[in-house]
Amino acid sequence: HFFQIFDAFKSRLHDSNSKVNQAALEAMHKMIPLLRDHLSPVINMLIPAMVDNNLNSKNPGIYAAATNVIQSLCQHLDNYLLLQPFCTKAQFLNGKAKQDVTEKLA
C-alpha cells in the first residue's frame, strides 16, 4: 500500500496549481522525519518528483519548500539511499536546481 499512497502523492508534487504543489512539498517535509528509512522503497520515485520542477521554480514558496524537503531528506535518511537519485538528477538538471543538488552531493 505504501507504493499506492506515494504514487498518488507524487502527482501532487507536479500539480499545476502552485498552492497544491507547495502544500504537497510542505506535507512531505513533515512526513520525512516520521517515516525516515521506511521511505527507501519509494525514494527513487519521490526525488525526481520533488526536484524536477520545484527547485527551478520562480515561486519563492515552492522553491523554499523544495529546499526544505531536500534538507530534511539529507538529515533523516541514510546518505547511501540518496546518492543514486541525486547523481542521476544532477546529470540532467540545469539552473539553480543543478547547483542545489550538486551541493548536496558534495
Side-chain angles (χ1 to χ4, degrees):
H1 299 297
F2 210 62
F3 281 105
Q4 292 172 335
I5 292 167
F6 280 97
D7 194 39
F9 185 75
K10 178 181 76 166
S11 62
R12 300 293 63 89
L13 294 168
H14 286 296
D15 203 283
S16 60
N17 184 326
S18 62
K19 291 179 183 179
V20 171
N21 192 348
Q22 185 173 343
L25 287 165
E26 291 168 355
M28 190 70 217
H29 181 253
K30 292 176 185 176
M31 285 189 282
I32 291 168
L34 300 172
L35 297 175
R36 294 179 153 279
D37 292 331
H38 296 291
L39 288 172
S40 62
V42 294
I43 202 70
N44 288 330
M45 170 181 59
L46 287 177
I47 287 180
M50 290 182 276
V51 169
D52 284 347
N53 297 324
N54 299 320
L55 283 179
N56 275 331
S57 178
K58 293 181 181 172
N59 181 321
I62 291 175
Y63 176 75
T67 55
N68 286 341
V69 167
I70 298 301
Q71 182 63 32
S72 186
L73 284 170
C74 293
Q75 183 179 2
H76 295 287
L77 270 67
D78 285 333
N79 289 336
Y80 75 90
L81 292 173
L82 302 174
L83 184 61
Q84 178 63 41
F86 278 3
C87 285
T88 302
K89 291 313 310 174
Q91 289 177 331
F92 300 106
L93 290 171
N94 56 25
K96 62 183 175 179
K98 184 172 189 130
Q99 179 181 352
D100 290 342
V101 171
T102 304
E103 286 176 7
K104 292 299 176 192
L105 279 169

